[in-house]
Amino acid sequence: MLLGLAVQTQSAAAHESGASLAILGVVEDVLIVEEGVVLEARMDTGATSSSLNALNKERFERDGEDWIRFEIIDPEDEDARITLERPIERIVRIRRHSGDSQERPVVRMEFCIGDQLLTADTSLIDRTALTYQALIGRSHMAGHILVDSGEEHLRAPNCAADDQ
């Protein structure tokens, strides 16, 4: 009953603002806008923030700011890597279920998810042992996306060129 009320409340808020919520599956293709790379991602309403697979992380300074260079696995060739660079927004400490904590760099990422062009903080972590290179959390989805947990790949990334 509470879930129904929450969905009605969020849908009403979106309706009042003139926005419509996209309904997507639990797994969707998402476009990393700046590099034009499409990754398969898990849409995780249980996660507050998004995370992205990041290999060979290297921090450096550019114009007096902290940046990070990292690699993702090329979705078209798992033996190849694609290099990305972003300014570091902050470092977060994540407490794991085991009780250990881990520090992760956080960067701003712009994703095209369905027809939604969304920017939010994304933590960088080695996700190679996991099924998906990207996990999209509530920070990217809130107010824009509803997840149908019984579906996958409902909408390919298709953001209008003038939105980018």
Side-chain angles (χ1 to χ4, degrees):
M1 182 159 134
L2 288 176
L3 177 59
L5 181 58
V7 169
Q8 287 176 349
T9 303
Q10 187 171 13
S11 294
H15 181 69
E16 288 172 12
S17 69
S20 63
L21 297 174
I23 298 175
L24 299 175
V26 70
V27 175
E28 293 290 344
D29 289 335
V30 302
L31 171 70
I32 301 175
V33 174
E34 188 171 331
E35 285 77 15
V37 175
V38 176
L39 300 176
E40 195 173 44
R42 177 162 180 81
M43 310 299 285
D44 189 346
T45 61
T48 302
S49 59
S50 300
S51 64
L52 181 66
N53 189 32
L55 308 172
N56 303 318
K57 295 184 289 274
E58 178 186 341
R59 292 176 69 166
F60 64 98
E61 187 174 309
R62 178 179 289 161
D63 299 326
E65 294 183 4
D66 290 329
W67 280 62
I68 190 162
R69 178 179 299 116
F70 58 97
E71 297 175 339
I72 60 172
I73 298 169
D74 185 333
E76 296 179 13
D77 178 0
E78 67 182 39
D79 294 325
R81 303 292 181 261
I82 298 170
T83 301
L84 288 76
E85 294 181 348
R86 298 287 189 284
I88 296 174
E89 297 294 323
R90 66 183 186 285
I91 303 293
V92 295
R93 183 174 299 261
I94 304 293
R95 187 170 306 258
R96 306 186 79 173
H97 293 292
S98 65
D100 297 334
S101 64
Q102 178 184 63
E103 288 190 350
R104 296 182 189 175
V106 174
V107 299
R108 300 285 288 171
M109 294 294 297
E110 184 176 43
F111 292 115
C112 174
I113 307 170
D115 63 355
Q116 306 286 319
L117 190 60
L118 305 170
T119 303
D121 287 351
T122 304
S123 66
L124 302 178
I125 183 68
D126 184 340
R127 295 182 53 87
T128 53
L130 302 172
T131 305
Y132 305 103
Q133 285 200 77
L135 179 139
I136 305 300
R138 292 187 313 268
S139 61
H140 269 103
M141 293 188 284
H144 303 281
I145 295 171
L146 293 176
V147 177
D148 182 339
S149 62
E151 296 291 336
E152 294 184 0
H153 299 285
L154 292 178
R155 300 178 80 181
N158 186 22
C159 295
D162 59 343
D163 291 343
Q164 296 181 21

